[in-house]
Amino acid sequence: MLRLENVRKTFLYKNAKGKESTKVAVDNMNLRIDDGEIFGLLGPNGAGKTTIIKMLTMLSRPTKGNIYYGKLNTRNDAQAIKKLIGVVPQHINFDQDLTVGENMQLHGRLHHMPRKDREQCISEMLRYVELSERVNDSVRALSGGMKRRLLIVRALMHKPSILFLDEPTVALDPQVRRRIWDLIRKMHKAGVTIVLTTHYIEEAEALCDRVAIINKGKLIALDTPKALQEKIGSYAVEWDKENGEREFKIFHSKEQAKAFANNLSQQNILRRRSNLEDVFVELTGRKVNS
Amino acid sequence: MLKHRMIKFILSRMVAPILYLVAFGWGLGRSINTGSGSYLDFLVPGILALNSMNIAFNSLSPLHGERVYHKSIEEYFTAPINPLSFVIGKILAAILRGMISSAIIIVLAYLFGANFMITPLFLLVLILNCAIFAEIGFYAAMTIDSYEDMGRFNTYILMPMSFLCGTFFSPDKLPKLFYYFIHALPLTHTSLLLREIGRGAPPELLSVLVLLLYTAVCFWLCARVTKKAQQ
Ligand SMILES: Nc1ncnc2c1ncn2[C@@H]1O[C@H](COP(=O)(O)OP(=O)(O)OP(=O)(O)O)[C@@H](O)[C@H]1O
Ligand SMILES: [Mg+2]
């Protein structure tokens, strides 16, 4: 079990005039992530998702508060925790001077994997993401999507029990995205706890047992995708505004939605089920994907 | 792939020191009278000192990119390894490069007809010099934010040192204040020690102590900055 207790992260930054001020990136965050779940962090750009992942993976330290892995505290038990976790960063962070295979080897060595395991695991993983032929190519020579696939299997090499993925499928084509989802589900079936951040609502809907919606460093909602959607209302009506923008309203009953739609005089009226994106827009007042 | 890169790196960084050796030692040096022995013999220890400094320091400059741009350093920081082994690994690799390039200079110097002795202490001094500047390079790479500032460190600190720290001429002739300043810098002690040991004179043990002190203090700084970077 993973617990955040009153976690706060602030950054010092200088503005153009050289005056220092503090920016609150994560504010008083309390969360509990259970063993074996797929947990999603959803939020617009700059919400604080990466900052949270970095604190969870000990790449940065909370300004205040504590993070526990069971009884282990990130402040005191870093080495023990690092054995449990796998990290897929938002930023592609291969060693640019090494080949695909060498980057994997490096990871295996850093995690103290015996040579035989390493070799076997690397060929298995590369085959899974269809990069076997590229094993001796420089990582610079891979396409963006290939790099991302490699990034994910690299994090899985040492069989972590908690896997963190910061925007794992950004910039991937739909087939590859689905393959990555399958891989994540497979890991989940094998008992791995998964914590992921995403911009893609459908990703959160397709994968996550529970979703935390974060805005401006604050947790604003936390539940299963279905419960979140039911909480705001299951029925939506959409229409075109005069200025061409799309507008929508959520209702708790089908009848209310129908009545509202019938009284609208605008163009292109559409009635549909509400979804996680509606929840997101309702709660944050912004669209994530646009 | 790595080996290939290492050779390219060493050779490209050695062009300048080899040119110094040829131009000032072998060319110009034959007409300079130092009072005791040839200028080439005087110069070789200086070139060894400045070359190993440059190679060791610059072996760590890619670490800056690994930290700031590629972020590949995160791979090390999320792995269950002791932060100290990261520091030690980087520094040992830099020492190895520094010593390989020193071997090349030594061979060339003998080919040009220089006379100097290599003793275990001579090698130890070279290793300490590599270690100190590898550590300074490490510290710089972990703290400096922009790539340009890394370059400035080379231009404004290493470059002047490579000319002034007893490498091309004896610091005894400098004005008093400058003399003391130059003697606070590790490269001066390396040059002086290599020169004394090379010509068979008894080494100044105080200088060895200064180098050891620098090695230890810089290592401590590297360890500290690495631990802090993981917070
Ligand atoms: N090193 C830093 N120094 C100063 N401010 C920072 C730093 N890292 C993050 N921030 C600020 O903290 C806030 C949260 O950033 P973070 O990267 O966590 O957002 P995010 O939710 O991951 O966004 P995105 O979806 O764009 O990846 C932002 O306002 C950002 O500018
Ligand atoms: Mg992010």
Side-chain angles (χ1 to χ4, degrees):
Chain A
M1 194 179 66
L2 177 51
R3 239 166 51 238
L4 285 86
E5 278 182 3
N6 306 319
V7 170
R8 180 181 166 90
K9 179 79 184 179
T10 56
F11 291 106
L12 271 182
Y13 74 92
K14 281 196 183 126
N15 65 9
K17 287 181 192 133
K19 221 182 130 197
E20 279 204 345
S21 51
T22 48
K23 149 110 207 154
V24 181
V26 174
D27 197 9
N28 201 30
M29 185 74 59
N30 286 287
L31 271 183
R32 208 196 67 233
I33 298 170
D34 293 320
D35 288 341
E37 74 174 329
I38 304 187
F39 190 91
L41 290 167
L42 197 61
N45 289 132
K49 304 180 295 293
T50 298
T51 307
I52 294 173
I53 296 279
K54 285 206 165 155
M55 288 189 288
L56 291 172
T57 56
M58 288 162 293
L59 285 169
S60 99
R61 215 174 232 237
T63 315
K64 244 165 79 189
N66 285 296
I67 298 171
Y68 297 96
Y69 284 77
K71 289 197 178 70
L72 303 173
N73 186 327
T74 52
R75 289 185 195 273
N76 310 318
D77 313 299
Q79 297 301 323
I81 296 172
K82 284 176 186 176
K83 289 193 181 125
L84 305 174
I85 64 172
V87 186
V88 179
Q90 179 171 9
H91 186 102
I92 288 170
N93 69 352
F94 294 117
D95 190 321
Q96 298 290 314
D97 297 326
L98 300 181
T99 64
V100 169
E102 285 167 342
N103 265 292
M104 298 286 276
Q105 287 283 356
L106 174 66
H107 185 88
R109 284 186 176 196
L110 288 174
H111 287 82
H112 313 293
M113 292 171 72
R115 188 192 191 90
K116 235 181 96 196
D117 287 7
R118 235 158 50 208
E119 305 283 346
Q120 192 195 337
C121 184
I122 290 172
S123 66
E124 226 171 75
M125 291 292 179
L126 290 183
R127 203 167 335 120
Y128 190 83
V129 288
E130 293 167 357
L131 287 171
S132 299
E133 289 97 72
R134 311 300 294 260
V135 63
N136 292 320
D137 288 5
S138 161
V139 282
R140 293 176 206 261
L142 300 183
S143 79
M146 291 175 187
K147 284 183 190 159
R148 225 154 245 296
R149 270 139 68 186
L150 187 64
L151 207 56
I152 295 177
V153 288
R154 182 183 67 174
L156 293 175
M157 264 182 80
H158 60 284
K159 312 222 158 37
S161 50
I162 306 179
L163 182 65
F164 295 92
L165 304 114
D166 197 355
E167 319 235 350
T169 62
V170 94
L172 293 182
D173 69 42
Q175 274 113 316
V176 178
R177 170 170 301 159
R178 263 154 227 279
R179 231 178 138 67
I180 298 288
W181 289 0
D182 286 344
L183 185 61
I184 292 173
R185 288 197 193 97
K186 214 168 114 184
M187 296 307 300
H188 177 233
K189 278 222 183 77
V192 178
T193 306
I194 305 219
V195 181
L196 61 86
T197 78
T198 185
H199 279 127
Y200 299 111
I201 308 277
E202 64 283 12
E203 186 159 286
E205 260 172 348
L207 287 175
C208 295
D209 298 319
R210 287 192 305 150
V211 175
I213 296 183
I214 292 168
N215 194 23
K216 296 180 182 157
K218 287 203 168 72
L219 178 67
I220 51 176
L222 170 66
D223 217 322
T224 63
K226 192 158 185 297
L228 285 173
Q229 171 231 321
E230 280 167 0
K231 228 179 263 171
I232 62 157
S234 297
Y235 304 91
V237 178
E238 267 184 44
W239 66 93
D240 278 352
K241 287 201 293 191
E242 276 82 39
N243 62 10
E245 279 174 19
R246 207 70 182 146
E247 184 61 275
F248 73 91
K249 201 167 155 65
I250 308 281
F251 299 90
H252 279 281
S253 78
K254 204 171 178 170
E255 289 68 39
Q256 282 174 312
K258 212 171 183 170
F260 179 81
N262 289 339
N263 284 332
L264 272 178
S265 58
Q266 275 92 345
Q267 297 279 303
N268 290 328
I269 296 164
L270 172 73
R271 278 197 297 129
R272 58 169 173 81
R273 300 293 293 222
S274 70
N275 55 34
L276 198 54
E277 179 157 356
D278 301 328
V279 177
F280 190 88
V281 177
E282 283 279 299
L283 294 179
T284 66
R286 300 191 240 181
K287 284 209 173 183
V288 231
N289 273 338
S290 60
Chain B
M1 194 153 178
L2 269 185
K3 283 203 187 97
H4 187 68
R5 254 179 49 87
M6 178 160 105
I7 292 164
K8 272 208 305 210
F9 169 86
I10 290 177
L11 289 183
S12 69
R13 292 276 169 195
M14 284 185 69
V15 172
I18 290 175
L19 286 177
Y20 297 153
L21 196 63
V22 173
F24 301 127
W26 188 62
L28 193 65
R30 282 189 293 193
S31 56
I32 297 179
N33 193 347
T34 58
S36 59
S38 74
Y39 183 62
L40 182 62
D41 294 350
F42 179 89
L43 183 65
V44 168
I47 300 281
L48 278 170
L50 76 88
N51 171 67
S52 59
M53 166 181 84
N54 273 319
I55 297 272
F57 179 88
N58 284 300
S59 292
L60 265 311
S61 51
L63 179 63
H64 180 259
E66 287 166 26
R67 181 177 69 91
V68 177
Y69 301 108
H70 306 309
K71 307 211 188 270
S72 49
I73 201 170
E74 290 176 356
E75 245 309 84
Y76 296 88
F77 287 179
T78 50
I81 55 164
N82 190 325
L84 283 187
S85 49
F86 176 73
V87 182
I88 292 170
K90 288 284 180 193
I91 287 164
L92 286 181
I95 292 177
L96 177 69
R97 289 172 175 208
M99 293 310 281
I100 290 174
S101 73
S102 298
I104 297 174
I105 300 264
I106 288 171
V107 170
L108 283 176
Y110 278 135
L111 286 179
F112 289 143
N115 287 308
F116 56 99
M117 280 189 341
I118 296 176
T119 66
L121 186 61
F122 189 95
L123 295 178
L124 176 71
V125 169
L126 263 181
I127 290 175
L128 288 178
N129 194 55
C130 292
I132 292 165
F133 286 101
E135 287 162 2
I136 293 174
F138 187 99
Y139 190 81
M142 292 297 285
T143 48
I144 289 176
D145 278 331
S146 82
Y147 188 71
E148 288 73 24
D149 284 344
M150 279 302 280
R152 283 187 198 115
F153 200 100
N154 255 312
T155 316
Y156 292 114
I157 299 178
L158 294 196
M159 186 76 160
M161 275 173 62
S162 64
F163 280 96
L164 301 177
C165 289
T167 43
F168 289 91
F169 57 89
S170 165
D172 296 347
K173 290 160 192 156
L174 293 170
K176 261 282 166 287
L177 194 67
F178 204 57
Y179 175 90
Y180 287 123
F181 174 67
I182 287 290
H183 275 79
L185 301 172
L187 190 65
T188 311
H189 295 277
T190 304
S191 307
L192 297 179
L193 275 170
L194 291 180
R195 195 164 291 129
E196 284 163 357
I197 303 167
R199 66 158 193 263
E204 181 67 66
L205 286 178
L206 184 65
S207 290
V208 180
L209 276 180
V210 170
L211 292 184
L212 284 170
L213 189 69
Y214 260 104
T215 311
V217 170
C218 293
F219 183 79
W220 178 77
L221 285 173
C222 291
R224 213 179 67 140
V225 78
T226 306
K227 284 194 186 130
K228 244 176 104 179
Q230 295 192 40
Q231 296 171 5

